[in-house]
Each structure stands twice: as structure tokens, then as C-alpha cells.
PDB file of all heavy atoms in Angstrom:
ATOM      1  N   MET K  22      55.945  -6.295  21.820  1.00 92.00           N
ATOM      2  CA  MET K  22      55.169  -5.089  21.537  1.00 92.00           C
ATOM      3  C   MET K  22      53.725  -5.359  22.106  1.00 92.00           C
ATOM      4  O   MET K  22      53.126  -4.515  22.746  1.00 92.00           O
ATOM      5  CB  MET K  22      55.182  -4.796  20.119  1.00 92.00           C
ATOM      6  CG  MET K  22      54.625  -3.351  19.788  1.00 92.00           C
ATOM      7  SD  MET K  22      52.785  -3.033  19.878  1.00 92.00           S
ATOM      8  CE  MET K  22      52.263  -4.261  18.524  1.00 92.00           C
ATOM      9  N   SER K  23      53.218  -6.489  21.800  1.00 93.00           N
ATOM     10  CA  SER K  23      51.870  -6.839  22.255  1.00 93.00           C
ATOM     11  C   SER K  23      51.694  -7.038  23.682  1.00 93.00           C
ATOM     12  O   SER K  23      50.636  -6.749  24.348  1.00 93.00           O
ATOM     13  CB  SER K  23      51.321  -8.056  21.472  1.00 93.00           C
ATOM     14  OG  SER K  23      51.343  -7.908  20.090  1.00 93.00           O
ATOM     15  N   TYR K  24      52.755  -7.618  24.290  1.00 92.00           N
ATOM     16  CA  TYR K  24      52.775  -7.918  25.754  1.00 92.00           C
ATOM     17  C   TYR K  24      52.329  -6.851  26.593  1.00 92.00           C
ATOM     18  O   TYR K  24      51.516  -6.918  27.539  1.00 92.00           O
ATOM     19  CB  TYR K  24      54.134  -8.447  26.147  1.00 92.00           C
ATOM     20  CG  TYR K  24      54.370  -8.820  27.618  1.00 92.00           C
ATOM     21  CD1 TYR K  24      53.915 -10.086  28.065  1.00 92.00           C
ATOM     22  CD2 TYR K  24      54.764  -7.844  28.457  1.00 92.00           C
ATOM     23  CE1 TYR K  24      54.069 -10.341  29.444  1.00 92.00           C
ATOM     24  CE2 TYR K  24      54.974  -8.194  29.821  1.00 92.00           C
ATOM     25  CZ  TYR K  24      54.531  -9.442  30.300  1.00 92.00           C
ATOM     26  OH  TYR K  24      54.642  -9.791  31.588  1.00 92.00           O
ATOM     27  N   GLN K  25      52.929  -5.608  26.389  1.00 89.00           N
ATOM     28  CA  GLN K  25      52.542  -4.506  27.227  1.00 89.00           C
ATOM     29  C   GLN K  25      51.053  -4.142  27.167  1.00 89.00           C
ATOM     30  O   GLN K  25      50.576  -3.523  28.164  1.00 89.00           O
ATOM     31  CB  GLN K  25      53.408  -3.263  26.712  1.00 89.00           C
ATOM     32  CG  GLN K  25      52.823  -2.824  25.310  1.00 89.00           C
ATOM     33  CD  GLN K  25      53.940  -1.637  24.807  1.00 89.00           C
ATOM     34  OE1 GLN K  25      54.348  -0.881  25.582  1.00 89.00           O
ATOM     35  NE2 GLN K  25      54.083  -1.729  23.527  1.00 89.00           N
ATOM     36  N   TYR K  26      50.291  -4.480  26.160  1.00 88.00           N
ATOM     37  CA  TYR K  26      48.825  -4.200  26.117  1.00 88.00           C
ATOM     38  C   TYR K  26      47.985  -5.392  26.671  1.00 88.00           C
ATOM     39  O   TYR K  26      46.793  -5.178  26.921  1.00 88.00           O
ATOM     40  CB  TYR K  26      48.408  -3.982  24.745  1.00 88.00           C
ATOM     41  CG  TYR K  26      48.989  -2.730  24.068  1.00 88.00           C
ATOM     42  CD1 TYR K  26      50.081  -2.906  23.066  1.00 88.00           C
ATOM     43  CD2 TYR K  26      48.727  -1.424  24.463  1.00 88.00           C
ATOM     44  CE1 TYR K  26      50.649  -1.837  22.462  1.00 88.00           C
ATOM     45  CE2 TYR K  26      49.334  -0.376  23.950  1.00 88.00           C
ATOM     46  CZ  TYR K  26      50.340  -0.554  22.918  1.00 88.00           C
ATOM     47  OH  TYR K  26      50.890   0.579  22.341  1.00 88.00           O
ATOM     48  N   LEU K  27      48.669  -6.527  26.973  1.00 92.00           N
ATOM     49  CA  LEU K  27      47.954  -7.710  27.319  1.00 92.00           C
ATOM     50  C   LEU K  27      48.199  -8.129  28.830  1.00 92.00           C
ATOM     51  O   LEU K  27      47.617  -9.113  29.248  1.00 92.00           O
ATOM     52  CB  LEU K  27      48.204  -8.826  26.373  1.00 92.00           C
ATOM     53  CG  LEU K  27      47.848  -8.707  25.025  1.00 92.00           C
ATOM     54  CD1 LEU K  27      48.410  -9.676  24.100  1.00 92.00           C
ATOM     55  CD2 LEU K  27      46.267  -8.672  24.948  1.00 92.00           C
ATOM     56  N   VAL K  28      49.068  -7.474  29.583  1.00 90.00           N
ATOM     57  CA  VAL K  28      49.424  -7.806  30.898  1.00 90.00           C
ATOM     58  C   VAL K  28      48.040  -7.833  31.669  1.00 90.00           C
ATOM     59  O   VAL K  28      47.332  -6.808  31.777  1.00 90.00           O
ATOM     60  CB  VAL K  28      50.418  -6.874  31.581  1.00 90.00           C
ATOM     61  CG1 VAL K  28      50.507  -7.125  33.032  1.00 90.00           C
ATOM     62  CG2 VAL K  28      51.784  -6.994  30.884  1.00 90.00           C
ATOM     63  N   GLY K  29      47.765  -9.000  32.365  1.00 91.00           N
ATOM     64  CA  GLY K  29      46.599  -9.173  33.177  1.00 91.00           C
ATOM     65  C   GLY K  29      45.426  -9.560  32.454  1.00 91.00           C
ATOM     66  O   GLY K  29      44.353  -9.813  33.014  1.00 91.00           O
ATOM     67  N   ALA K  30      45.452  -9.763  31.132  1.00 93.00           N
ATOM     68  CA  ALA K  30      44.287 -10.169  30.298  1.00 93.00           C
ATOM     69  C   ALA K  30      44.178 -11.824  30.356  1.00 93.00           C
ATOM     70  O   ALA K  30      44.997 -12.458  30.652  1.00 93.00           O
ATOM     71  CB  ALA K  30      44.519  -9.682  28.855  1.00 93.00           C
ATOM     72  N   THR K  31      42.976 -12.165  30.097  1.00 94.00           N
ATOM     73  CA  THR K  31      42.619 -13.571  29.920  1.00 94.00           C
ATOM     74  C   THR K  31      42.279 -13.848  28.431  1.00 94.00           C
ATOM     75  O   THR K  31      41.599 -13.253  27.782  1.00 94.00           O
ATOM     76  CB  THR K  31      41.368 -13.917  30.768  1.00 94.00           C
ATOM     77  OG1 THR K  31      41.738 -13.607  32.156  1.00 94.00           O
ATOM     78  CG2 THR K  31      40.971 -15.366  30.608  1.00 94.00           C
ATOM     79  N   ILE K  32      43.049 -14.922  27.970  1.00 95.00           N
ATOM     80  CA  ILE K  32      42.802 -15.466  26.696  1.00 95.00           C
ATOM     81  C   ILE K  32      41.735 -16.575  26.891  1.00 95.00           C
ATOM     82  O   ILE K  32      42.021 -17.500  27.538  1.00 95.00           O
ATOM     83  CB  ILE K  32      44.085 -16.019  26.016  1.00 95.00           C
ATOM     84  CG1 ILE K  32      45.202 -14.943  26.104  1.00 95.00           C
ATOM     85  CG2 ILE K  32      43.860 -16.475  24.630  1.00 95.00           C
ATOM     86  CD1 ILE K  32      44.919 -13.622  25.591  1.00 95.00           C
ATOM     87  N   ASP K  33      40.575 -16.511  26.199  1.00 94.00           N
ATOM     88  CA  ASP K  33      39.575 -17.362  26.358  1.00 94.00           C
ATOM     89  C   ASP K  33      39.143 -17.901  24.949  1.00 94.00           C
ATOM     90  O   ASP K  33      39.363 -17.335  23.860  1.00 94.00           O
ATOM     91  CB  ASP K  33      38.358 -16.630  27.094  1.00 94.00           C
ATOM     92  CG  ASP K  33      37.434 -17.626  27.673  1.00 94.00           C
ATOM     93  OD1 ASP K  33      37.710 -18.894  27.752  1.00 94.00           O
ATOM     94  OD2 ASP K  33      36.313 -17.121  28.074  1.00 94.00           O
ATOM     95  N   TYR K  34      38.357 -18.898  24.987  1.00 94.00           N
ATOM     96  CA  TYR K  34      37.691 -19.458  23.810  1.00 94.00           C
ATOM     97  C   TYR K  34      36.217 -19.528  24.118  1.00 94.00           C
ATOM     98  O   TYR K  34      35.783 -20.128  25.061  1.00 94.00           O
ATOM     99  CB  TYR K  34      38.139 -20.852  23.438  1.00 94.00           C
ATOM    100  CG  TYR K  34      37.683 -21.368  22.012  1.00 94.00           C
ATOM    101  CD1 TYR K  34      38.059 -20.935  20.887  1.00 94.00           C
ATOM    102  CD2 TYR K  34      36.662 -22.383  22.121  1.00 94.00           C
ATOM    103  CE1 TYR K  34      37.565 -21.408  19.701  1.00 94.00           C
ATOM    104  CE2 TYR K  34      36.059 -22.869  20.939  1.00 94.00           C
ATOM    105  CZ  TYR K  34      36.559 -22.307  19.841  1.00 94.00           C
ATOM    106  OH  TYR K  34      35.883 -22.797  18.655  1.00 94.00           O
ATOM    107  N   GLN K  35      35.364 -18.925  23.216  1.00 92.00           N
ATOM    108  CA  GLN K  35      33.977 -18.854  23.526  1.00 92.00           C
ATOM    109  C   GLN K  35      33.184 -19.325  22.250  1.00 92.00           C
ATOM    110  O   GLN K  35      33.618 -19.114  21.184  1.00 92.00           O
ATOM    111  CB  GLN K  35      33.484 -17.396  23.799  1.00 92.00           C
ATOM    112  CG  GLN K  35      34.115 -16.860  25.033  1.00 92.00           C
ATOM    113  CD  GLN K  35      33.745 -15.450  25.405  1.00 92.00           C
ATOM    114  OE1 GLN K  35      33.160 -14.744  24.555  1.00 92.00           O
ATOM    115  NE2 GLN K  35      33.954 -15.067  26.543  1.00 92.00           N
ATOM    116  N   GLU K  36      32.075 -20.015  22.585  1.00 90.00           N
ATOM    117  CA  GLU K  36      31.216 -20.456  21.505  1.00 90.00           C
ATOM    118  C   GLU K  36      29.829 -19.835  21.782  1.00 90.00           C
ATOM    119  O   GLU K  36      29.283 -19.855  22.905  1.00 90.00           O
ATOM    120  CB  GLU K  36      31.061 -22.021  21.435  1.00 90.00           C
ATOM    121  CG  GLU K  36      32.384 -22.849  21.193  1.00 90.00           C
ATOM    122  CD  GLU K  36      32.140 -24.191  21.213  1.00 90.00           C
ATOM    123  OE1 GLU K  36      31.105 -24.761  21.294  1.00 90.00           O
ATOM    124  OE2 GLU K  36      33.210 -24.930  21.225  1.00 90.00           O
ATOM    125  N   GLY K  37      29.268 -19.237  20.743  1.00 83.00           N
ATOM    126  CA  GLY K  37      28.012 -18.495  20.971  1.00 83.00           C
ATOM    127  C   GLY K  37      27.345 -18.323  19.754  1.00 83.00           C
ATOM    128  O   GLY K  37      27.618 -18.902  18.607  1.00 83.00           O
ATOM    129  N   LEU K  38      26.313 -17.520  19.665  1.00 82.00           N
ATOM    130  CA  LEU K  38      25.412 -17.263  18.492  1.00 82.00           C
ATOM    131  C   LEU K  38      26.218 -16.651  17.289  1.00 82.00           C
ATOM    132  O   LEU K  38      25.936 -16.906  16.206  1.00 82.00           O
ATOM    133  CB  LEU K  38      24.305 -16.338  18.888  1.00 82.00           C
ATOM    134  CG  LEU K  38      23.328 -16.858  19.828  1.00 82.00           C
ATOM    135  CD1 LEU K  38      22.293 -15.858  20.184  1.00 82.00           C
ATOM    136  CD2 LEU K  38      22.552 -18.131  19.293  1.00 82.00           C
ATOM    137  N   GLN K  39      27.276 -15.860  17.648  1.00 76.00           N
ATOM    138  CA  GLN K  39      28.100 -15.302  16.540  1.00 76.00           C
ATOM    139  C   GLN K  39      29.225 -16.201  16.115  1.00 76.00           C
ATOM    140  O   GLN K  39      29.989 -15.733  15.349  1.00 76.00           O
ATOM    141  CB  GLN K  39      28.592 -13.878  17.033  1.00 76.00           C
ATOM    142  CG  GLN K  39      27.625 -12.856  17.368  1.00 76.00           C
ATOM    143  CD  GLN K  39      28.083 -11.563  17.812  1.00 76.00           C
ATOM    144  OE1 GLN K  39      29.211 -11.547  18.171  1.00 76.00           O
ATOM    145  NE2 GLN K  39      27.199 -10.668  17.859  1.00 76.00           N
ATOM    146  N   GLY K  40      29.215 -17.434  16.591  1.00 83.00           N
ATOM    147  CA  GLY K  40      30.248 -18.345  16.173  1.00 83.00           C
ATOM    148  C   GLY K  40      31.191 -18.659  17.265  1.00 83.00           C
ATOM    149  O   GLY K  40      31.059 -18.219  18.440  1.00 83.00           O
ATOM    150  N   SER K  41      32.263 -19.327  17.059  1.00 89.00           N
ATOM    151  CA  SER K  41      33.266 -19.748  17.950  1.00 89.00           C
ATOM    152  C   SER K  41      34.514 -19.073  17.652  1.00 89.00           C
ATOM    153  O   SER K  41      34.972 -18.897  16.553  1.00 89.00           O
ATOM    154  CB  SER K  41      33.544 -21.269  17.882  1.00 89.00           C
ATOM    155  OG  SER K  41      32.261 -21.965  18.101  1.00 89.00           O
ATOM    156  N   GLN K  42      35.209 -18.542  18.764  1.00 90.00           N
ATOM    157  CA  GLN K  42      36.389 -17.786  18.461  1.00 90.00           C
ATOM    158  C   GLN K  42      37.218 -17.693  19.771  1.00 90.00           C
ATOM    159  O   GLN K  42      36.768 -17.619  20.861  1.00 90.00           O
ATOM    160  CB  GLN K  42      36.056 -16.455  17.957  1.00 90.00           C
ATOM    161  CG  GLN K  42      35.246 -15.597  18.931  1.00 90.00           C
ATOM    162  CD  GLN K  42      34.721 -14.257  18.399  1.00 90.00           C
ATOM    163  OE1 GLN K  42      35.339 -13.835  17.312  1.00 90.00           O
ATOM    164  NE2 GLN K  42      33.798 -13.588  19.010  1.00 90.00           N
ATOM    165  N   PHE K  43      38.489 -17.460  19.584  1.00 92.00           N
ATOM    166  CA  PHE K  43      39.413 -17.044  20.716  1.00 92.00           C
ATOM    167  C   PHE K  43      39.090 -15.560  21.026  1.00 92.00           C
ATOM    168  O   PHE K  43      38.857 -14.789  20.038  1.00 92.00           O
ATOM    169  CB  PHE K  43      40.831 -17.215  20.409  1.00 92.00           C
ATOM    170  CG  PHE K  43      41.228 -18.616  20.371  1.00 92.00           C
ATOM    171  CD1 PHE K  43      41.382 -19.269  19.200  1.00 92.00           C
ATOM    172  CD2 PHE K  43      41.572 -19.310  21.552  1.00 92.00           C
ATOM    173  CE1 PHE K  43      41.757 -20.651  19.116  1.00 92.00           C
ATOM    174  CE2 PHE K  43      41.811 -20.728  21.569  1.00 92.00           C
ATOM    175  CZ  PHE K  43      42.047 -21.300  20.363  1.00 92.00           C
ATOM    176  N   VAL K  44      39.156 -15.117  22.255  1.00 90.00           N
ATOM    177  CA  VAL K  44      38.770 -13.757  22.607  1.00 90.00           C
ATOM    178  C   VAL K  44      39.724 -13.336  23.722  1.00 90.00           C
ATOM    179  O   VAL K  44      40.299 -14.191  24.438  1.00 90.00           O
ATOM    180  CB  VAL K  44      37.314 -13.545  23.181  1.00 90.00           C
ATOM    181  CG1 VAL K  44      36.365 -13.803  22.002  1.00 90.00           C
ATOM    182  CG2 VAL K  44      37.054 -14.422  24.365  1.00 90.00           C
ATOM    183  N   VAL K  45      39.890 -12.060  23.938  1.00 90.00           N
ATOM    184  CA  VAL K  45      40.778 -11.459  25.029  1.00 90.00           C
ATOM    185  C   VAL K  45      39.863 -10.716  25.902  1.00 90.00           C
ATOM    186  O   VAL K  45      39.050  -9.801  25.436  1.00 90.00           O
ATOM    187  CB  VAL K  45      41.804 -10.556  24.279  1.00 90.00           C
ATOM    188  CG1 VAL K  45      42.615  -9.842  25.496  1.00 90.00           C
ATOM    189  CG2 VAL K  45      42.711 -11.269  23.461  1.00 90.00           C
ATOM    190  N   GLN K  46      39.843 -10.987  27.152  1.00 89.00           N
ATOM    191  CA  GLN K  46      39.219 -10.237  28.127  1.00 89.00           C
ATOM    192  C   GLN K  46      40.315  -9.482  28.867  1.00 89.00           C
ATOM    193  O   GLN K  46      41.127  -9.967  29.698  1.00 89.00           O
ATOM    194  CB  GLN K  46      38.458 -11.114  29.147  1.00 89.00           C
ATOM    195  CG  GLN K  46      37.446 -11.923  28.545  1.00 89.00           C
ATOM    196  CD  GLN K  46      36.976 -13.121  29.322  1.00 89.00           C
ATOM    197  OE1 GLN K  46      37.492 -13.499  30.403  1.00 89.00           O
ATOM    198  NE2 GLN K  46      35.967 -13.839  28.959  1.00 89.00           N
ATOM    199  N   ASN K  47      40.350  -8.126  28.603  1.00 85.00           N
ATOM    200  CA  ASN K  47      41.355  -7.253  28.956  1.00 85.00           C
ATOM    201  C   ASN K  47      40.979  -6.154  29.913  1.00 85.00           C
ATOM    202  O   ASN K  47      40.215  -5.245  29.610  1.00 85.00           O
ATOM    203  CB  ASN K  47      41.996  -6.596  27.676  1.00 85.00           C
ATOM    204  CG  ASN K  47      43.348  -5.886  27.949  1.00 85.00           C
ATOM    205  OD1 ASN K  47      43.683  -5.561  29.046  1.00 85.00           O
ATOM    206  ND2 ASN K  47      44.113  -5.586  26.770  1.00 85.00           N
ATOM    207  N   PRO K  48      41.405  -6.238  31.185  1.00 83.00           N
ATOM    208  CA  PRO K  48      41.057  -5.290  32.234  1.00 83.00           C
ATOM    209  C   PRO K  48      41.729  -3.867  31.876  1.00 83.00           C
ATOM    210  O   PRO K  48      41.287  -2.878  32.488  1.00 83.00           O
ATOM    211  CB  PRO K  48      41.490  -5.825  33.472  1.00 83.00           C
ATOM    212  CG  PRO K  48      42.667  -6.770  33.046  1.00 83.00           C
ATOM    213  CD  PRO K  48      42.286  -7.288  31.769  1.00 83.00           C
ATOM    214  N   ASN K  49      42.727  -3.825  31.051  1.00 76.00           N
ATOM    215  CA  ASN K  49      43.370  -2.586  30.789  1.00 76.00           C
ATOM    216  C   ASN K  49      42.658  -1.741  29.690  1.00 76.00           C
ATOM    217  O   ASN K  49      42.981  -0.561  29.423  1.00 76.00           O
ATOM    218  CB  ASN K  49      44.865  -2.973  30.303  1.00 76.00           C
ATOM    219  CG  ASN K  49      45.593  -3.644  31.280  1.00 76.00           C
ATOM    220  OD1 ASN K  49      45.548  -3.317  32.464  1.00 76.00           O
ATOM    221  ND2 ASN K  49      46.228  -4.815  30.763  1.00 76.00           N
ATOM    222  N   ALA K  50      41.806  -2.362  28.921  1.00 70.00           N
ATOM    223  CA  ALA K  50      41.013  -1.647  27.898  1.00 70.00           C
ATOM    224  C   ALA K  50      40.054  -0.704  28.479  1.00 70.00           C
ATOM    225  O   ALA K  50      39.279  -1.024  29.215  1.00 70.00           O
ATOM    226  CB  ALA K  50      40.401  -2.572  26.989  1.00 70.00           C
ATOM    227  N   SER K  51      40.221   0.568  28.180  1.00 64.00           N
ATOM    228  CA  SER K  51      39.411   1.623  28.708  1.00 64.00           C
ATOM    229  C   SER K  51      38.003   1.650  27.842  1.00 64.00           C
ATOM    230  O   SER K  51      37.013   1.966  28.360  1.00 64.00           O
ATOM    231  CB  SER K  51      39.917   3.056  28.655  1.00 64.00           C
ATOM    232  OG  SER K  51      40.241   3.380  27.281  1.00 64.00           O
ATOM    233  N   SER K  52      38.047   1.134  26.581  1.00 56.00           N
ATOM    234  CA  SER K  52      36.788   1.026  25.878  1.00 56.00           C
ATOM    235  C   SER K  52      37.065  -0.116  24.817  1.00 56.00           C
ATOM    236  O   SER K  52      38.077  -0.258  24.284  1.00 56.00           O
ATOM    237  CB  SER K  52      36.264   2.266  25.219  1.00 56.00           C
ATOM    238  OG  SER K  52      37.163   2.659  24.277  1.00 56.00           O
ATOM    239  N   THR K  53      35.882  -0.695  24.324  1.00 56.00           N
ATOM    240  CA  THR K  53      35.966  -1.671  23.333  1.00 56.00           C
ATOM    241  C   THR K  53      34.911  -1.409  22.263  1.00 56.00           C
ATOM    242  O   THR K  53      33.958  -0.672  22.656  1.00 56.00           O
ATOM    243  CB  THR K  53      35.886  -3.174  23.887  1.00 56.00           C
ATOM    244  OG1 THR K  53      34.522  -3.254  24.478  1.00 56.00           O
ATOM    245  CG2 THR K  53      36.928  -3.482  24.870  1.00 56.00           C
ATOM    246  N   CYS K  54      35.046  -2.022  21.103  1.00 52.00           N
ATOM    247  CA  CYS K  54      34.011  -1.895  20.149  1.00 52.00           C
ATOM    248  C   CYS K  54      32.917  -2.885  20.396  1.00 52.00           C
ATOM    249  O   CYS K  54      33.095  -3.869  21.214  1.00 52.00           O
ATOM    250  CB  CYS K  54      34.539  -2.016  18.758  1.00 52.00           C
ATOM    251  SG  CYS K  54      35.154  -3.649  18.388  1.00 52.00           S
ATOM    252  N   GLY K  55      31.786  -2.856  19.698  1.00 51.00           N
ATOM    253  CA  GLY K  55      30.754  -3.662  19.832  1.00 51.00           C
ATOM    254  C   GLY K  55      31.104  -5.188  19.565  1.00 51.00           C
ATOM    255  O   GLY K  55      30.469  -6.175  20.200  1.00 51.00           O
ATOM    256  N   CYS K  56      31.949  -5.415  18.664  1.00 49.00           N
ATOM    257  CA  CYS K  56      32.345  -6.795  18.274  1.00 49.00           C
ATOM    258  C   CYS K  56      33.370  -7.363  19.235  1.00 49.00           C
ATOM    259  O   CYS K  56      33.557  -8.617  19.250  1.00 49.00           O
ATOM    260  CB  CYS K  56      32.805  -6.930  16.892  1.00 49.00           C
ATOM    261  SG  CYS K  56      34.376  -6.110  16.563  1.00 49.00           S
ATOM    262  N   GLY K  57      33.989  -6.535  20.012  1.00 51.00           N
ATOM    263  CA  GLY K  57      34.999  -6.989  21.021  1.00 51.00           C
ATOM    264  C   GLY K  57      36.262  -7.297  20.503  1.00 51.00           C
ATOM    265  O   GLY K  57      37.152  -7.780  21.201  1.00 51.00           O
ATOM    266  N   SER K  58      36.575  -7.046  19.175  1.00 51.00           N
ATOM    267  CA  SER K  58      37.924  -7.281  18.722  1.00 51.00           C
ATOM    268  C   SER K  58      38.789  -6.163  18.744  1.00 51.00           C
ATOM    269  O   SER K  58      40.002  -6.232  18.321  1.00 51.00           O
ATOM    270  CB  SER K  58      37.811  -7.992  17.320  1.00 51.00           C
ATOM    271  OG  SER K  58      37.223  -6.958  16.411  1.00 51.00           O
ATOM    272  N   SER K  59      38.375  -4.964  18.909  1.00 46.00           N
ATOM    273  CA  SER K  59      39.207  -3.752  19.039  1.00 46.00           C
ATOM    274  C   SER K  59      39.023  -3.080  20.350  1.00 46.00           C
ATOM    275  O   SER K  59      37.893  -3.208  20.983  1.00 46.00           O
ATOM    276  CB  SER K  59      39.060  -2.923  17.761  1.00 46.00           C
ATOM    277  OG  SER K  59      37.811  -2.264  17.794  1.00 46.00           O
ATOM    278  N   PHE K  60      39.948  -2.136  20.715  1.00 45.00           N
ATOM    279  CA  PHE K  60      39.910  -1.694  22.039  1.00 45.00           C
ATOM    280  C   PHE K  60      40.808  -0.400  22.174  1.00 45.00           C
ATOM    281  O   PHE K  60      41.611  -0.118  21.153  1.00 45.00           O
ATOM    282  CB  PHE K  60      40.416  -2.695  23.123  1.00 45.00           C
ATOM    283  CG  PHE K  60      41.858  -3.022  23.039  1.00 45.00           C
ATOM    284  CD1 PHE K  60      42.908  -2.414  23.826  1.00 45.00           C
ATOM    285  CD2 PHE K  60      42.317  -3.977  22.111  1.00 45.00           C
ATOM    286  CE1 PHE K  60      44.197  -2.765  23.676  1.00 45.00           C
ATOM    287  CE2 PHE K  60      43.674  -4.295  21.957  1.00 45.00           C
ATOM    288  CZ  PHE K  60      44.573  -3.790  22.734  1.00 45.00           C
TER     289      PHE K  60
END
């Protein structure tokens, strides 16, 4: 179910001011929220 939304995405790990976390860089997302965890 998740695969269809993630084709072409990059799974990354980032460390920054807001902490360290796994993130998804998804070219299929038409919009995202400010925190980057929803799309």
C-alpha cells in the first residue's frame, strides 16, 4: 500500500537543529506540511 506513494522517493537520514531523523524526499508529493512529515 505504501509502495505506490513512495516510488521514486529517497529515504534519507538528516541531523539538524530540529534533531536527527529519517526523512522521505518524495518527488510525487504535490505539497507537504511545514514539518515535512505529511504530504
Side-chain angles (χ1 to χ4, degrees):
M22 192 284 297
S23 299
Y24 177 84
Q25 63 187 328
Y26 298 107
L27 294 169
V28 171
T31 298
I32 309 307
D33 196 12
Y34 182 78
Q35 296 178 347
E36 296 181 11
L38 296 175
Q39 296 178 349
S41 303
Q42 63 186 348
F43 288 100
V44 296
V45 177
Q46 298 166 352
N47 191 342
N49 303 311
S51 60
S52 66
T53 59
C54 67
C56 65
S58 65
S59 68
F60 66 100

